[in-house]
Amino acid sequence: MQLIKLNATDSTNNYLKQLVLEGALEDFCVVAANHQTNGRGQRGSAWVSEKGKNLTFSILKKGIAIKPSEQFLLNILVSLSIIKSLEAFNVPKLSIKWPNDILSDHYKISGILIENVIKHQQIEYAVIGIGINVNQVVFDGLPKVTSLKSILPITVDKDELLTKIIDKLKMYFKFYYKNGSESLNLEYESYLFRKDKPSTFMSPDKSTFTGIIRGVSPSGKLELQMEDSNKEFDLKELKLLY
Ligand code: BTN
């Protein structure tokens, strides 16, 4: 495995994207940093992680051969790889808060930021950024966040967890190329946080509404059963309140 370990960088996603432009890198090349000075999260948020405590890394995936319209599949493969790796360490009550926050019980333990580079209507490559809270135990101002150290009786070796995630991801890609996406969608949906439970959501205008999460469409939209109809939403259109 091509693994580049950095003491510090702004963001491993940024670093890897720059590196791809500069030279030939292997498929599944990994850049991991002890510290990110400008870690990035979903929706333009910051990903803050205490120096040296957690896993912050990015994986290069080349030759994906998935149409941009089907790019949500990448979220599925990556989310499942993390879930299965954490299950191997007996992390309890794992779920995926759509689209790809990994929770243990109600607390976020891992986040994913996938950046696709599209060329000729195909994903040329993807930079898959993953943050996992491993040894940090204080999360100031973040009441819904936790770490492996806070919930497990053992200390998890960061390198072992990273290797496991890469192995699972390779396995899931192979599975997809051989069998297609149908069973993977079902597996992803089986982990969906608050699936089949009435939940409250907030719209961009801050109004709230209720609905029941039933699944995720092939394009990655959240499928909600509402009072008198079924509707699909994208990430900008709602926020789950929990
Ligand atoms: C989120 O949940 O908002 C996504 C967080 C993704 C964080 C990881 S840490 C490694 C990689 N580099 C970044 O700048 N972000 C991702």
Side-chain angles (χ1 to χ4, degrees):
M1 171 165 94
Q2 194 175 22
L3 170 61
I4 298 160
K5 279 192 172 183
L6 304 171
N7 190 30
T9 186
D10 59 341
S11 146
T12 55
N13 269 32
N14 294 354
Y15 189 94
L16 185 51
K17 280 197 284 184
Q18 186 56 38
L19 212 57
V20 184
L21 302 178
E22 288 168 12
L25 295 177
E26 281 174 18
D27 196 18
F28 290 102
C29 168
V30 177
V31 171
N34 229 355
H35 179 51
Q36 292 189 126
T37 53
N38 189 22
R40 293 184 294 110
Q42 300 252 2
R43 311 190 204 211
S45 65
W47 182 260
V48 183
S49 175
E50 210 178 310
K51 207 180 271 187
K53 296 263 165 106
N54 302 317
L55 267 178
T56 47
F57 63 102
S58 303
I59 308 160
L60 174 67
K61 182 67 195 98
K62 305 200 290 186
I64 293 176
I66 294 174
K67 289 189 217 111
S69 60
E70 290 161 2
Q71 60 184 256
F72 191 73
L73 183 69
L74 283 181
N75 290 269
I76 294 179
L77 300 179
V78 177
S79 301
L80 288 174
S81 302
I82 297 174
I83 288 265
K84 291 291 164 190
S85 302
L86 294 177
E87 271 180 0
F89 288 96
N90 297 318
V91 178
K93 298 185 189 164
L94 286 163
S95 65
I96 303 166
K97 186 166 84 65
W98 175 84
N100 52 17
D101 284 350
I102 309 298
L103 309 188
S104 168
D105 201 357
H106 282 57
Y107 301 97
K108 180 160 167 174
I109 197 154
S110 171
I112 302 164
L113 179 67
I114 301 177
E115 298 183 279
N116 294 314
V117 174
I118 314 249
K119 207 173 173 184
H120 308 306
Q121 275 115 49
Q122 284 273 327
I123 302 174
E124 198 192 5
Y125 58 87
V127 169
I128 301 164
I130 298 175
I132 302 183
N133 299 327
V134 181
N135 290 317
Q136 183 171 343
V137 285
V138 178
F139 296 93
D140 282 334
L142 298 170
K144 286 188 196 142
V145 172
T146 193
S147 67
L148 296 177
K149 194 173 177 110
S150 311
I151 51 181
L152 291 180
I154 52 147
T155 302
V156 170
D157 182 81
K158 288 196 287 174
D159 290 334
E160 194 186 334
L161 178 56
L162 187 147
T163 309
K164 207 175 267 302
I165 291 170
I166 307 296
D167 287 348
K168 298 271 181 215
L169 191 60
K170 287 181 181 168
M171 189 277 290
Y172 270 113
F173 267 103
K174 270 197 198 135
F175 182 92
Y176 163 66
Y177 290 128
K178 192 159 176 257
N179 306 289
S181 60
E182 208 171 315
S183 67
L184 295 167
N185 292 342
L186 292 175
E187 192 175 6
Y188 173 91
E189 287 187 349
S190 74
Y191 282 104
L192 264 186
F193 181 62
R194 293 206 62 81
K195 183 166 185 284
D196 300 327
K197 294 180 182 152
S199 302
T200 307
F201 299 88
M202 190 165 76
S203 301
D205 66 5
K206 307 268 187 247
S207 62
T208 58
F209 61 95
T210 54
I212 301 176
I213 296 175
R214 291 300 188 199
V216 174
S217 73
S219 64
K221 290 190 172 184
L222 189 67
E223 296 169 337
L224 289 193
Q225 183 186 337
M226 317 268 291
E227 209 169 288
D228 42 19
S229 62
N230 290 347
K231 282 196 187 142
E232 293 182 356
F233 293 85
D234 73 28
L235 193 53
K236 290 184 255 27
E237 293 173 317
L238 85 178
K239 189 178 171 197
L240 172 63
L241 303 178
Y242 67 102

